[in-house]
Amino acid sequence: MAVPNVGRGGNAQKQALYSIVQALAMFHAKRNTPLPPGLLGFPSPDYDPTTSPFKDLQPGPEVGSIHIAGKHINIYTLFSAVLSRGGATVLTTNDAWSILLPQFDLPDQHQTPDGSLVNVAQLLRHHYNLIFVPFEDIYRRNLHEKAQAMRQMNASSQPLRPGQSNMPIPRGPNGHLAQSTPNPNLMPPGPQTISSASMPRGPSLPRDPSVDRTPTDYEQDLHSAKRKLEFDESDGKRVRQKTEPFDPGFPAAPVTEPASVGSNNSVPSLPATSAMSSQPRPRHEPSRRKIEYVPLAREVDTYGGRDVKLIEGELFPQAQRRQLRDINDWGTIDIDALTMSLRSRLSTELSYSLTTLTLLSTMKGAQPNTGFRIMDCPELLDEVLDLLEDLAFSDEEDIFDLPAPYDDPHITTNRKLLNEVLNHEAEPFAGLQVRQGSKDPKSGGPQQRPGSLILAVLNIIRNLCIFLDNAEYIARHPRALDLLLRLCSETWNGTTVSPTSPAISLNDLIVIRKDTLHVLFYVAAVFHFVDGAAPSKTVLRLAKRIFFLISSYLVDPAEAVTPFASLQLVGTVIHRPPVLADIALEVFTRIGHSDTNRLVFAKAVPRASLKNLFVSLVHRLPVVDGDFQLLNREQWLSYIEKVVMALYALAFLSPPDLKERLKSDRSLGLKSIILRMVQKLAVHSTPELRSFFMISVRRAVETMKVLDDAKDSFDTSTATVTTLSFGMGYGEVGENDVETGTGLFGGHRDSTWDMMLLREVNMDEQLFSELDSLIRVEY
């Protein structure tokens, strides 16, 4: 086999690279998977780029290097880095391949030519497994066997003990041990005497420095074995040498003295050991001992000392997320005992009952979309509402009076409440101030704050409303929604705002309003006002509070902006509209869908509040091209559909004089905004998207038609027509009566004609007739 032209006369790094390349070439050739020639540096005749598993491997410009994410990686350096960290199995088990990226200056992700992003750590793992994983097992096995052999050799070749001679054992002519009388000259010396045949008495002769003693075969083998073992351990096991300090209490090692020169005695000289004297020689330098160690901690990617990936893996396991437990898994619960625990008002009993109810409210039933049926235990819900009322209010509510038609009541928006809380928290020593809703320091004992208990009860009711059967029951309950909306009320003195309930703070009021809005979101589809034709004062109070709660999330001038402006307001590119505003629109469009509910809103809400909400919704309609580009997203299109439907509901329930004011208000620019939106969505959109936009177009045209008529939408009385007039030319009645006057789009006939020629408009008879009525012109 040819060899690459590396490592010949080079440094140790190149020689090691040459060795690993040659070993890999032989290893993969035996497995019938030859490596590519570009990696080896010499021809590989059996390599087939069409069927080889290494066909996706990109060799680097140098021998023994591969190309990964725009970098050239030396395979010897890669192999050494992986082995020093425990091997491929350890890195894969701990998901720690990313710790190798900084060593090779590799990025976290790499963009492929087709535009997709690839995880570089996984790519590095793939290349290593392809080249080294089978080779790594054999390499480790060879190192282990070699180290074990060297340890056995070291154990069998122990150094001579003091007083032991390295002379060969005398044998007979046939090779057996001699059985004759022992020769005293061949006996090992005792502790205090030495043979006169082996060494003369008296002081030893000085050694001639010009003559070097030839080491014995045993010493040569021991020295070579020691060097071999040190080389293997330093390369394979990464042993760190540790120098220990001198310990006076530890016995000194025997020191070998050179043999005397000039003696004619044929017996080899014995090493001078502790047998020469009764006291061992002192040791003047510390001994070296080799200590193997395993790191106690692995390297991790941390942020501020915390392993973020490990924390996320423990807190949010995607593959092992626990499912919600079925309600039958919790055994039997005594509802009567739970009700009595709430009625007792004891702190321990309240803690038990509220915790149990919280768990029950999140349980799912045996059937889909079912859970804990609160309608089966009405006394429990009544007791929960009694607890909520006792904690929040100390007296009954005053009698509700009908608002004047032209009143302009103050509406505290959600943004206003947030600013109030931020201003309070920014004051000096804000945490030491005792405000409304704070825990009373004179109460004594570890008691819960009433506001915390109120939030716990609100959480239980919101969880119950998730299931449709509970939502229908709570929507028909005479006290539930009225009590929740009473908690959302506030008091405005001209400068500051405070909750009506003395038990809650401004922070609690923000959370209570949001939870109540979510409750209305779940019950809106099945909610209907009782006696819409002649509503009671309680029903009118409920309708007014629902309208004001919805308006508090929609009428703030800083937030009532177009879709593109709302993105600029947040400061970041988000992919969804404002969440709370979207929920508020959903609630109003669902509750205001039926004519009965619209009639109650018309009687309970002043005209100024209706106009304020109508103007705010018009400001949320798309105007510029950036707004219409966002409508290509499903969430923003749904948001605009809700805005247009809410405008239609407000136009429908508004009295005739308010409709005239909205239609003629030039500062609002309603006609121009609606006409531009209809043209953009119907005429200038692609045929594929036009079908999705037609819902908003149809409802916007209906809104303009209702304003153009300026009639009382709840007046169902019709003019009585004589029988002779039918078919006699005296006029037409019903839906096809002749309309007079100029329509709202009468001055824009050219632009509206293009819209009427669309196939989607022609196929919709109702939409076509309403457009035709809006572009009429009286000559």
Side-chain angles (χ1 to χ4, degrees), residues 87 90 116-117 134 164 195 237 241 283 294 308 313 388-389 398 449 468 532 542 596 650 678 689 776-777 779:
V90 175
S116 60
L117 292 178
Q164 181 178 355
S195 176
K237 299 182 180 179
Q241 294 184 353
R283 184 171 56 187
V294 177
V308 180
L388 184 63
E389 189 173 7
D398 297 336
R449 189 175 62 92
L468 182 59
L542 181 63
T596 303
L650 288 173
V678 170
L689 298 176
R776 71 183 183 275
V777 177
Y779 295 101

Side-chain angles (χ1 to χ4, degrees), residues 674-686:
I674 294 292
L675 183 60
R676 176 176 174 80
M677 185 185 72
V678 170
Q679 289 178 344
K680 279 284 189 180
L681 298 181
V683 180
H684 301 291
S685 61
T686 60

Side-chain angles (χ1 to χ4, degrees), residues 547 549-563 566 578 580-590 592 608-623 627 631 636 638-654 662 665 667-671 673-674 677 699-700 703-704 707:
F547 187 88
L549 178 62
I550 294 171
S551 299
S552 65
Y553 293 97
L554 298 173
V555 299
D556 194 282
E559 297 178 345
V561 292
T562 60
S566 65
L580 295 178
D582 191 35
I583 297 177
L585 288 171
E586 183 76 22
V587 171
F588 184 70
T589 52
R590 289 189 178 186
S609 299
L610 293 176
K611 181 183 177 182
N612 190 16
L613 180 57
F614 190 91
V615 172
S616 300
L617 294 180
V618 173
H619 291 166
R620 292 178 181 267
L621 292 175
V623 177
D627 299 328
L631 298 188
W636 280 104
S638 174
Y639 173 76
I640 294 301
E641 287 180 359
K642 295 170 188 175
V643 172
V644 177
M645 291 181 180
L647 286 173
Y648 174 77
L650 288 173
F652 186 89
L653 63 87
S654 297
L662 294 174
D665 190 356
S667 61
L668 182 60
L670 175 63
K671 179 181 66 174
I673 295 176
I674 294 292
M677 185 185 72
R699 190 61 72 179
T703 303
M704 300 304 296
L707 293 178

Side-chain angles (χ1 to χ4, degrees), residues 439-509:
K439 184 177 180 180
D440 187 6
K442 299 180 181 179
S443 60
Q447 297 181 359
Q448 276 287 355
R449 189 175 62 92
S452 301
L453 297 177
I454 292 174
L455 293 179
V457 174
L458 259 293
N459 182 47
I460 294 173
I461 298 176
R462 186 189 63 182
N463 293 341
L464 291 173
C465 292
I466 295 177
F467 305 104
L468 182 59
D469 47 0
N470 291 335
E472 294 178 354
Y473 181 76
I474 293 178
R476 295 192 304 266
H477 198 276
R479 295 177 54 204
L481 294 181
D482 188 40
L483 182 57
L484 295 183
L485 291 168
R486 184 185 178 187
L487 279 172
C488 298
S489 58
E490 79 286 341
T491 304
W492 172 257
N493 59 3
T495 56
T496 58
V497 61
S498 59
T500 302
S501 172
I504 60 178
S505 61
L506 280 179
N507 293 345
D508 298 333
L509 181 61

Side-chain angles (χ1 to χ4, degrees), residues 19-29 35 40 75 131-132 135:
S19 301
I20 197 69
V21 168
Q22 189 178 26
L24 285 172
M26 298 175 61
F27 174 77
H28 285 284
L35 290 171
L40 301 177
I75 61 173
I131 300 174
F132 286 107
F135 178 78

